Amino acid sequence: MHPQRLSSTVLGLCAALVLAGCGGADDSRGGTEVPVPAEPVVTPVVGSVMFAPTPFAGSDGSNHLVYEVSLTNYLRTPVTITGVEVFDADTEGSPALIGLDQAGVAGRLKPAGAPSVQPRPGAPDGYSEVLAPGQNGVLFLHLRFAGGAPKKLIHEISVRADEAPPEMRETTERIAAVDVNDGVVPVLGPPLAGEHYIAADACCDAVRHTRALLPLDGTPVLAQRYAVDWEQAGPDGKIFVGDARDPAGYRIFGDDALAVADGTVVASRNDLPEQVPGEYPANLPIADADGNNLVLDIGDGFYVNYAHMQPGSVRFKPGDRVRRGEVIGKVGNSGNSVAPHLHVHVMNGPSFLVSQGVPSVTDLFTITGRVADTAAFDASEGTGVPLVLAPDVAVATQEDRMILDQNIVTFRAG
Ligand SMILES: [Zn+2]
């Protein structure tokens, strides 16, 4: 190692190494043999999984893991994450579960603040595979399995640092080991009853929910990790008819929002006005973001949040008991909403903001179609054109699975 060079390269690290001796194990005293720990390796990037994921069954027939890896560049020069592979940490030598090349990383790594370089074409807004000196970024990952999920994951990242000393320019690190959560996944009833409901911005790669990480109360939290924005289309494939600025023209407006499980209300609001569709309200306090909402404690540490309901329609107050299938309010357009819809997410705490989103499944639903992609959904919601659908989606009744992004479903009451 080159302590002098490293001291100008790695933030504050060499001082600690020098104090510790920076050398190998001292074996000059003889005696009983003890295991010798591996030599530490200076790594330009450090990382950890932010919240251990729980596997769940999706409506595509696969099992899924959705989680985030926090990465921080400890160099005084920029780094580029040129690749990421995820392995089953319990099976030495097994093939990677997923592999991302540099472009793949660019589509999933969101530097804190803003990217320091011009993002690569095609990457989502604010994403980049480059971390500036000292910069943190969050890598949003989604793994899919035909069978069961591994019990423990480890990540291998390839790092390029062109301006660093030669020994740091190309490195591979194994980081961010995590035990997969083997906790239960709640099985819930439908949040609505009827046909042609669209699971918009749903799991597992929806930028607007799955990646809505917020720094709150000193902690990064992602309450909306598995949120769904429920919309509805008519037989004509349209989300709204008539004036786009009239909430009543939207198919879902005024539909009954249903309790997905028995529970106790821990929070609700009923006083926020309906917004005009087509634009997000300006200067809305974060506490008002979910509009007229209701949070239901369904037991076992799970909470369900319903957002954006009509003013005056929310039927329950904190402390009230609610039975599965009961009407809790009417779908509206209050709070931070651009069009009438029912936002629903399940989380591990009573705060709809300062909680972690956790997966759930719906006990019974029928898939009748799928919107082609988020752009097709946005076009229909924004302009009133009929939804463009994915071809050849078979009608399928499913049980105990998470309804994934852009699926169109029928829910029976009950
Ligand atoms: Zn939402």
Side-chain angles (χ1 to χ4, degrees):
M1 290 208 283
H2 305 276
Q4 289 310 316
R5 295 189 76 164
L6 283 176
S7 67
S8 65
T9 308
V10 182
L11 301 174
L13 182 60
C14 198
L17 287 176
V18 169
L19 286 173
C22 272
D26 179 0
D27 57 2
S28 60
R29 285 177 295 240
T32 315
E33 250 185 59
V34 292
V36 180
E39 281 282 325
V41 176
V42 176
T43 47
V45 173
V46 301
S48 59
V49 170
M50 305 177 80
F51 182 69
T54 302
F56 62 90
S59 58
D60 61 352
S62 296
N63 293 313
H64 299 258
L65 282 172
V66 174
Y67 62 102
E68 308 81 38
V69 184
S70 169
L71 299 173
T72 301
N73 173 15
Y74 261 64
L75 299 187
R76 292 184 177 181
T77 61
V79 296
T80 301
I81 312 298
T82 58
V84 174
E85 289 185 301
V86 185
F87 294 94
D88 177 348
D90 289 331
T91 311
E92 195 63 40
S94 60
L97 301 165
I98 60 159
L100 300 174
D101 61 11
Q102 191 169 329
V105 175
R108 292 183 171 277
L109 180 59
K110 190 167 193 300
S116 58
V117 297
Q118 195 66 27
R120 160 187 289 260
D125 189 34
Y127 285 65
S128 172
E129 73 275 36
V130 178
L131 295 177
Q135 191 171 28
N136 174 262
V138 176
L139 182 69
F140 294 93
L141 291 177
H142 170 207
L143 277 56
R144 193 183 278 111
F145 309 91
K151 299 276 187 284
K152 187 170 187 171
L153 303 172
I154 185 84
H155 303 79
E156 190 167 295
I157 65 169
S158 301
V159 182
R160 208 182 71 220
D162 293 339
E163 299 166 40
E167 70 274 15
M168 303 290 276
R169 284 184 190 161
E170 298 265 1
T171 52
T172 301
E173 307 179 14
R174 281 174 81 85
I175 64 168
V178 64
D179 291 324
V180 170
N181 192 341
D182 61 0
V184 295
V185 174
V187 179
L188 305 177
L192 296 150
E195 294 182 318
H196 301 131
Y197 285 110
I198 308 152
D201 286 320
C203 199
C204 300
D205 292 299
V207 173
R208 292 183 287 221
H209 282 149
T210 314
R211 305 185 183 184
L213 190 86
L214 295 172
L216 295 174
D217 296 350
T219 301
V221 286
L222 218 172
Q224 304 181 66
R225 190 178 277 111
Y226 303 97
V228 179
D229 279 349
W230 291 105
E231 277 277 12
Q232 189 179 30
D236 54 4
K238 294 182 176 180
I239 289 173
F240 74 89
V241 291
D243 181 2
R245 295 172 66 80
D246 176 10
Y250 289 74
R251 226 24 232 207
I252 200 168
F253 188 74
D255 284 9
D256 289 335
L258 308 176
V260 294
D262 294 352
T264 304
V265 176
V266 294
S268 68
R269 280 200 72 171
N270 215 1
D271 60 326
L272 291 165
E274 215 73 270
Q275 303 288 345
V276 177
E279 60 200 80
Y280 285 101
N283 305 318
L284 195 71
I286 191 166
D288 295 355
D290 276 11
N292 300 309
N293 78 317
L294 183 144
V295 179
L296 193 61
D297 177 353
I298 60 170
D300 296 328
F302 297 114
Y303 299 78
V304 185
N305 180 43
Y306 298 77
H308 312 303
M309 290 181 281
Q310 291 184 4
S313 77
V314 178
R315 298 189 180 183
F316 298 100
K317 299 183 301 300
D320 289 347
R321 291 282 302 163
V322 178
R323 305 294 292 180
R324 172 184 158 137
E326 269 193 276
V327 176
I328 59 166
K330 290 193 176 298
V331 178
N333 192 45
S334 58
N336 192 39
S337 180
V338 75
H341 71 282
L342 182 66
H343 169 113
V344 181
H345 72 246
V346 181
M347 54 196 178
N348 70 351
S351 166
F352 69 85
L353 290 166
V354 193
S355 296
Q356 293 287 1
V358 292
S360 62
V361 294
T362 301
D363 58 4
L364 184 65
F365 58 93
T366 300
I367 291 182
T368 59
R370 193 171 71 244
V371 182
D373 52 29
T374 298
F377 174 84
D378 288 350
S380 183
E381 188 188 62
T383 69
V385 296
L387 291 162
V388 175
L389 301 183
D392 304 326
V393 176
V395 173
T397 295
Q398 299 196 14
E399 295 178 5
D400 299 350
R401 289 180 174 171
M402 182 185 287
I403 302 166
L404 300 182
D405 192 33
Q406 298 300 342
N407 277 288
I408 302 172
V409 298
T410 297
F411 291 124
R412 269 180 266 159

